Amino acid sequence: MELNDMDKEYSKDFDAGRRNRVITSYYKYGPAKKNFGEGRVDALKTAELCIEAFKKDHNTEHLMDAANYLMFRYMYPLPGEFFKSTDSSGSVGTVGTPYNMERDW
């Protein structure tokens, strides 16, 4: 893969939009540490609401919001939650067939 192709594999615009929304939310709702770290807001359920809203109105801003709520859940996990890097055997897989799985190597 050429380096220029990576611009099609990752969205800096998406990250910038998420960051802008986090900044706005800080002033609107307060610190993430208070809201998620102290259990005031359920990040996972709120992310699910954002995804449902996207399915109804197709506004991709909801996807940015969902990603932020998932990030907060990662930053402020509930008791018993942890991060463990996995290989393909630990992956949940995909819905659909990825391009490289169709190719004959």
Side-chain angles (χ1 to χ4, degrees):
M1 177 184 305
E2 293 183 28
L3 188 57
N4 292 340
D5 288 342
M6 286 309 297
D7 288 340
K8 298 175 183 113
E9 299 295 322
Y10 191 86
S11 174
K12 292 178 184 177
D13 182 59
F14 185 78
D15 277 350
R18 286 187 330 98
R19 185 177 190 280
N20 289 339
R21 279 151 186 77
V22 168
I23 292 167
T24 299
S25 292
Y26 174 86
Y27 293 104
K28 187 174 182 179
Y29 302 112
K33 185 175 183 177
K34 291 277 189 192
N35 289 320
F36 304 102
E38 295 179 7
R40 289 178 163 81
V41 178
D42 186 320
L44 189 58
K45 286 183 182 178
T46 308
E48 290 168 348
L49 290 175
C50 294
I51 292 168
E52 289 304 314
F54 168 75
K55 288 178 181 179
K56 291 178 184 172
D57 67 14
H58 308 284
N59 179 353
T60 57
E61 181 184 30
H62 297 308
L63 300 179
M64 286 183 180
D65 291 339
N68 278 336
Y69 286 114
L70 294 173
M71 176 188 70
F72 290 134
R73 182 61 171 258
Y74 171 83
M75 291 171 63
Y76 303 103
L78 297 179
E81 297 177 343
F82 59 92
F83 174 86
K84 178 183 176 188
S85 188
T86 61
D87 59 15
S88 295
S89 67
S91 171
V92 298
T94 62
V95 176
T97 305
Y99 172 75
N100 281 353
M101 299 302 158
E102 293 177 349
R103 297 172 53 189
D104 292 326
W105 295 93

